[in-house]
Amino acid sequence: MPNIQQLEDLTTQVRRDILRMVHKVNSGHPGGSLGCAEFFVSLFNEIMETKESFDMDGIGEDLFFLSNGHISPVYYSVLARANYFPVDELNTFRLVNSRLQGHPTTHEGLPGVRIASGSLGQGMSVAIGAAEAKKLNKDNHLIYSLHGDGELQEGQNWEAIMYAAGKKIDNLISTIDLNGQQIDGATDDVLPMGNIKEKFEAFGWTVLEIEEGNNLEAILYGMAKAKAETGKGKPVCVLLKTIMGNGVDFMMHTHAWHGKAPNDEQLEIGLAQNAETLGDY
Amino acid sequence: MKTYTNTGNKDTRSGFGAGLTELGKTNENVVALCADLTGSLKMDEFKANHPERFFQIGIAEANMIGIAAGMTIGGKIPFTGTFANFSTGRVYDQIRQSVAYSDKNVKICASHAGVTLGEDGATHQILEDIGLMKMLPGMTVINTCDYNQTKAATLAIAKHHGPVYLRFGRPKVANFTPEDGDFEIGKAVKLIDGNDVTIVATGHLVWEALEASKVLHEQGISAEVINIHTIKPLDETAILQSVSKTGCIVTAEEHNYLGGLGESVSRVLALHNPTPQEFIATNDTFGESGTPAQLMEKYGLNSSAIQQAVKNVLKRK
């Protein structure tokens, strides 16, 4: 059984990391990062089977692809705290000569990252390719991917969604961060996308919903169910309902912090709401 | 003067198909992806021999590039196949982020490049693809001249680790390079020694350059003909050695002069040995419907155009 308190502590520390990283360089995307903190912590510490050391091919382990690369702060924090690279390196986020680029990349050789992302809509295709390679290699491990809900406005997703169902990519669990926000406002105002669950189902996916996407136990339960749905001839979609900016009260329920860093005072308020648990980097 | 024999017209895309078939037998990591143009790309035999390693993506090129990038994670060597237009311009950002910037070992194999695609017209005749691809950091760009060379290049790029753009065409053209010849990426092939002018050609224009050199020879002009199959990385040494002897150069390609081979050559010359240069290329225009021969004539991409360019450049020495 996972120790929920440990995961809670890690999540709180990850939130601190996110706030401090974007504050230091006065740039980056805290809102979506905070909203997905519980998901990343669960994925990298409980859900995925990963090997001790990182190699690009990742044979014999589960793989993760982040499609909405702008939430790199949460990705970097969770990778560092899962020992993919030194936690101190979080200090270099978005600085010149850093492996922690504004959006994730393989170009600088950062362990844990297998594809560049940031230009939206490309990650599901890449995840499908990795899933096909797993099948060819007779490797029974799974591919996980994460996508923004606003990101689904990119047409390439629907090519990929059609392909994954049509070609029975059933070793893939694609999670959609359903926070209802994008840079210009609520997704319903920017471009109403209708019922995303029905759309995935119409394309032939198995769809599961995690109503409390910021609740660790709900995520662990939901993702275990998703895992149980793999290998049945259909790709699996998880609709993860999250709150953008979760854990920092003034950042929650708004698109305002999608791509904006807190100032000194705001940082202090945010940190006060998230006590240091594992030690700041 | 050394002469080359056409052993019978063949299409370069069939050279790609033959190379892919051979790779299927010799390299189990090679996988092939196609966006609903299996017959046009000559991928049928690979598909028949290795159905488990052939991936029909449907008419979804962006998804094809992304899937190819993902398949490299796990050690596969993906060869994507569609027309040059849909291999490049349509999916530029997918190639840029998921393949080039991500350092993925994807081979983007593109048929029907240039105006020699013919009757389908400008929507399908890309003349900008070399420029698009050579601008991507880390991308190798190859444009082969005949069936044999395309087959050899297909085999060679499987052994090269890194993203490659392999460009070839639709029509049957002269096949004159050695059967089962070596193909060294980035190494120019000097076809004819000459002293008066250097002709550097790529793709379908290589045979036209050879034809031009014969006529020029009869007129007392000694042209050195170099086949530049690899536009990036460019064999700068071969170009500089040749112009140090000839003192002038004509570049020839089935591509816009903007962004093509000619501009890459110009940069080398500007940096190391400023030399008069004439460009055989399309003049910042789209193509149109017509037969390949009609279009090569209309757009100044044949032997007679090369001969004229040589005469023009000789006056500038």
Side-chain angles (χ1 to χ4, degrees):
Chain A
M1 278 294 288
N3 184 327
I4 295 295
Q5 187 57 48
Q6 275 180 8
L7 296 177
E8 291 282 7
D9 288 349
L10 177 54
T11 305
T12 305
Q13 189 64 49
V14 166
R15 285 197 208 107
R16 288 180 68 89
D17 291 349
I18 292 166
L19 292 169
R20 295 177 68 237
M21 287 163 76
V22 298
H23 168 263
K24 180 179 175 185
V25 291
N26 193 27
S27 75
H29 296 75
S33 296
L34 290 166
C36 290
E38 291 84 358
F39 178 76
F40 273 84
V41 164
S42 304
L43 199 66
F44 278 88
N45 295 280
E46 289 295 334
I47 298 163
M48 288 203 300
E49 290 176 25
T50 53
K51 295 190 290 196
E52 278 289 305
S53 64
F54 175 80
D55 65 82
M56 182 54 77
D57 282 345
I59 291 168
E61 64 179 333
D62 294 339
L63 308 181
F64 170 72
F65 294 95
L66 177 65
S67 190
N68 47 332
H70 55 272
I71 65 168
S72 56
V74 65
Y75 193 16
Y76 294 152
S77 168
V78 170
L79 285 176
R81 294 195 179 271
N83 299 318
Y84 279 85
F85 55 86
V87 173
D88 276 353
E89 204 168 337
L90 297 177
N91 265 312
T92 70
F93 175 61
R94 286 189 173 230
L95 296 180
V96 70
N97 296 324
S98 173
R99 297 196 293 180
L100 277 59
Q101 292 289 297
H103 294 81
T105 171
T106 62
H107 207 61
E108 321 297 332
L110 186 70
V113 179
R114 290 190 166 87
I115 196 80
S117 62
S119 176
L120 295 174
Q122 300 186 26
M124 195 179 294
S125 302
V126 174
I128 289 168
E132 294 273 32
K134 285 256 184 255
K135 285 176 180 274
L136 284 171
N137 288 335
K138 308 213 180 326
D139 178 348
N140 289 326
H141 287 82
L142 297 175
I143 305 295
Y144 292 86
S145 62
L146 180 65
H147 315 262
D149 49 0
E151 188 183 8
L152 293 178
Q153 290 159 9
E154 291 281 7
Q156 185 183 344
N157 285 304
W158 300 96
E159 295 182 4
I161 291 164
M162 186 184 293
Y163 181 94
K167 304 285 182 166
K168 300 182 170 55
I169 309 299
D170 60 0
N171 53 346
L172 170 68
I173 300 175
S174 291
T175 299
I176 311 299
D177 176 16
L178 220 60
N179 60 24
Q181 307 287 339
Q182 56 192 107
I183 292 182
D184 273 2
T187 50
D188 280 344
D189 294 331
V190 176
L191 176 60
M193 289 184 286
N195 189 317
I196 291 173
K197 180 170 190 278
E198 286 177 3
K199 284 185 165 66
F200 270 90
E201 285 174 343
F203 276 77
W205 287 54
T206 296
V207 183
L208 301 168
E209 292 175 285
I210 299 179
E211 293 289 338
E212 293 180 70
N214 295 108
N215 177 324
L216 286 162
E217 290 182 80
I219 293 167
L220 294 175
Y221 177 75
M223 293 305 288
K225 273 195 356 189
K227 205 166 174 175
E229 288 298 326
T230 59
K232 295 182 179 176
K234 286 181 168 192
V236 179
C237 170
V238 174
L239 298 179
L240 182 76
K241 295 188 184 167
T242 69
I243 297 167
M244 186 174 263
N246 186 60
V248 179
D249 57 8
F250 62 89
M251 289 188 174
M252 291 169 69
H253 303 290
T254 171
H255 66 276
W257 297 91
H258 190 293
K260 192 175 97 175
N263 62 27
D264 294 350
E265 188 186 340
Q266 290 160 338
L267 174 70
E268 288 313 314
I269 297 170
L271 292 180
Q273 294 170 14
N274 292 278
E276 191 172 348
T277 52
L278 306 181
D280 287 339
Y281 60 84
Chain B
M1 191 180 92
K2 190 169 177 183
T3 57
Y4 290 84
T5 306
N6 176 11
T7 58
N9 283 5
K10 278 180 154 182
D11 46 357
T12 50
R13 57 186 165 139
S14 287
F16 165 67
L20 193 63
T21 296
E22 190 167 320
L23 283 173
K25 293 168 186 162
T26 57
N27 190 333
E28 63 178 20
N29 283 323
V30 168
V31 294
L33 296 79
C34 189
D36 196 33
L37 286 168
T38 312
S40 295
L41 267 289
K42 307 293 180 187
M43 298 168 97
D44 294 311
E45 201 171 342
F46 182 96
K47 180 185 175 185
N49 292 348
H50 313 283
E52 76 291 352
R53 285 195 270 145
F54 178 81
F55 296 85
Q56 173 59 267
I57 306 295
I59 311 165
E61 294 82 6
N63 193 37
M64 176 166 74
I65 296 297
I67 290 176
M71 291 176 99
T72 65
I73 301 163
K76 302 302 157 199
I77 307 172
F79 282 64
T80 66
T82 184
F83 290 174
N85 188 26
F86 314 137
S87 292
T88 57
R90 190 179 179 95
V91 292
Y92 195 64
D93 190 45
Q94 285 77 17
I95 295 174
R96 182 175 182 275
Q97 175 172 282
S98 294
V99 177
Y101 186 45
S102 292
D103 309 306
K104 296 304 180 210
N105 192 24
V106 174
K107 316 303 174 188
I108 298 160
C109 302
S111 182
H112 293 56
V115 292
T116 51
L117 173 148
E119 292 80 354
D120 277 348
T123 55
H124 288 50
Q125 295 164 336
I126 195 163
L127 294 162
E128 309 92 49
D129 55 325
I130 290 174
L132 287 170
M133 291 297 108
K134 82 176 186 184
M135 281 194 293
L136 290 170
M139 181 68 73
T140 294
V141 178
I142 296 170
N143 186 189
T144 49
C145 67
D146 70 357
Y147 173 97
N148 287 342
Q149 191 174 64
T150 309
K151 182 181 175 190
T154 304
L155 299 175
I157 64 175
K159 291 181 186 160
H160 168 86
H161 190 89
V164 175
Y165 179 59
L166 177 61
R167 179 196 211 234
F168 42 91
R170 173 175 182 255
K172 289 190 165 72
V173 294
N175 188 31
F176 60 95
T177 64
E179 195 176 350
D180 298 322
D182 287 336
F183 187 94
E184 190 177 339
I185 294 170
K187 184 81 179 159
V189 181
K190 191 199 287 182
L191 295 173
I192 293 178
D193 279 312
N195 298 310
D196 299 330
V197 60
T198 300
I199 305 173
V200 167
T202 192
H204 291 146
L205 270 295
V206 176
W207 179 252
E208 298 297 325
L210 287 172
E211 292 287 279
S213 73
K214 279 195 274 189
V215 179
L216 292 165
H217 180 73
E218 288 162 11
Q219 296 168 354
I221 299 168
S222 165
E224 182 147 295
V225 179
I226 296 175
N227 174 5
I228 291 272
H229 50 62
T230 307
I231 291 151
K232 184 183 170 188
L234 191 64
D235 189 344
E236 301 185 3
T237 306
I239 293 164
L240 290 169
Q241 275 178 355
S242 184
V243 298
S244 70
K245 178 174 60 174
T246 63
C248 64
I249 189 165
V250 171
T251 53
E253 60 195 306
E254 189 182 346
H255 189 273
N256 195 349
Y257 78 87
L258 291 166
L261 165 69
E263 283 195 348
S264 289
V265 170
S266 294
R267 178 177 182 277
V268 175
L269 298 175
L271 286 172
H272 302 289
N273 186 2
T275 304
Q277 177 181 0
E278 293 284 326
F279 298 79
I280 292 296
T282 55
N283 187 19
D284 199 17
T285 181
F286 291 105
E288 63 178 286
S289 293
T291 67
Q294 287 170 337
L295 295 170
M296 294 290 265
E297 171 72 23
K298 176 166 179 176
Y299 290 92
L301 300 173
N302 56 15
S303 165
S304 59
I306 294 170
Q307 293 164 44
Q308 187 56 52
V310 164
K311 285 165 188 164
N312 294 345
V313 83
L314 284 170
K315 288 181 202 151
R316 296 171 52 202
K317 270 174 91 166

